Each structure stands twice: as structure tokens, then as C-alpha cells.
Amino acid sequence: MGERAGELINRIAVLRAEYKMTQQELAQKAGVSRQTIISIEKGKYTPSLALGFEIANAFGVDINEVFQYNKGEVGK
Amino acid sequence: MGERAGELINRIAVLRAEYKMTQQELAQKAGVSRQTIISIEKGKYTPSLALGFEIANAFGVDINEVFQYNKGEVGK
DNA sequence: ACAAAAAGTAAAAATTACTTTACATTAGGT
DNA sequence: ACCTAATGTAAAGTAATTTTTACTTTTTGT
């Protein structure tokens, strides 16, 4: 029960490159620490929905452009 | 520092009514407990992004149709 | 090559999400 | 009125996220 069914992938690094935004800047805009951005960007854990939205509108894009959820391989 | 900048509102109750889905059923489809659904539906806390997506595709709708984030009133 | 900025790693502490259990209330059907 | 399903409340415990601090490595510009 440690992991949820699906996998969450994010395009934060891509978007940061595209918008030339540093982790520090993104962290400030989203209102979290730089560590949080790093961890999420690297997929170490999944952020809260609120933070997801904050990150999305730090870039000014829809949340679906930042995060994609591939629901769990039920058929294994 | 207890609260994030913006407020997250959800349309879970509305969607459940629309799709005639019980909290129990939604909980099962999303892979969480009924309590979790209740608490989120009532706005007691904000779910993880993964759970947000799970709830959205339990209804088969986009995540933006379930959750809306009004970014914090910075100007107070 | 050098300096500075950006990115990365790690780990403990604090906070928040989620589970489980158990019981109280409300709504619907007969 | 009765029964049952659905919703709600509460509290204690576990698991996950986020912060804070400190240090290492990589990248970039000059």
C-alpha cells in the first residue's frame, strides 16, 4: 500500500527550460522551497493538488501540460 | 504558514449526484477509503495530485472539471 | 582555468494526507 | 413506522509530503 495505482509524470524540467526559469524562481513563484521543486521534478514524490496548480500557473499553462497521470496497469 | 496561498474548491458532490455515484463507489474507484472522499469533498484537506487525477477519471472527466484553484488573494 | 550560479544529494524535523474503526445522523423505500 | 443504505463526525495511528540546513557536483560565462 505504499504506492498508488498509476504513475505520475511531469514536464517541469522541460517547461523550466522552455521558459528559462530556474528552480529557485519556480520555487518562489509556487511558494515552496527549492528542495520541494527538485524532488517533484525528479519524481521522488507526488505533490499536492494545490501545489500542482501553483506550479502550472507559475508557467501560465494548464495543469495537464505539466502533469500526466497514467492510470495503473491493472492487467499487470 | 499553515495554509497555502490559494483556495481549492471541488465539485465532487455535484459530479457524484450527476453520475449517481455513492461516496463508497467513488472511494473504491479511486482506490482510497470512504473517509478520504468525505474529507476532500468537504474541503477538509487537499488531496495529492495523483488522487486528484484518480477522482477525475473515476468520473471520466478532466481534472479541471473537478477541481478549481483560485490563487491566493495576494493583495489581501 | 576560474568564479559564480544552478542543480543535485542527504537527512532530520515538522506538517499534512490518508487509513481504520466505531458510532451518530439523515434520506429513501416499503 | 421500520429497515437499510448513505452520509457525517471524531479520534488515534500510519504514511507521505514539505521544510530546513548543509554540503557536493555540474554548468555557464568570462
Side-chain angles (χ1 to χ4, degrees):
Chain A
M1 282 171 193
E3 299 171 2
R4 196 164 292 289
E7 64 158 357
L8 187 69
I9 70 170
N10 75 84
R11 297 182 58 245
I12 296 178
V14 176
L15 287 164
R16 279 201 311 103
E18 195 171 337
Y19 290 89
K20 293 203 195 321
M21 195 181 297
T22 176
Q23 292 177 331
Q24 188 87 272
E25 291 172 325
L26 178 54
Q28 284 176 234
K29 289 199 180 193
V32 293
S33 72
R34 190 171 63 93
Q35 284 317 309
T36 299
I37 296 299
I38 292 175
S39 296
I40 292 168
E41 186 170 317
K42 297 223 127 190
K44 282 201 71 178
Y45 52 70
T46 102
S48 72
L49 191 46
L51 181 47
F53 277 114
E54 288 277 10
I55 292 173
N57 53 28
F59 291 123
V61 302
D62 187 87
I63 196 170
N64 291 292
E65 298 211 30
V66 187
F67 301 96
Q68 278 125 39
Y69 188 69
N70 299 322
K71 78 176 311 178
E73 14 254 79
V74 181
K76 173 60 169 315
Chain B
M1 285 168 186
E3 299 169 5
R4 194 164 292 290
E7 65 158 356
L8 186 70
I9 70 170
N10 76 82
R11 296 183 58 247
I12 296 179
V14 176
L15 287 164
R16 280 200 311 104
E18 196 171 337
Y19 289 90
K20 292 204 196 320
M21 195 180 299
T22 176
Q23 292 176 333
Q24 188 87 275
E25 291 172 327
L26 178 55
Q28 284 175 236
K29 289 199 180 191
V32 293
S33 73
R34 189 171 65 93
Q35 284 317 310
T36 299
I37 296 299
I38 292 176
S39 296
I40 292 167
E41 188 171 314
K42 296 224 127 188
K44 280 201 69 176
Y45 51 72
T46 101
S48 73
L49 193 45
L51 180 48
F53 277 114
E54 289 276 9
I55 292 174
N57 51 30
F59 290 124
V61 303
D62 186 87
I63 196 169
N64 291 292
E65 298 212 28
V66 187
F67 300 96
Q68 278 125 38
Y69 188 71
N70 299 323
K71 79 176 313 180
E73 15 253 79
V74 181
K76 173 50 171 329

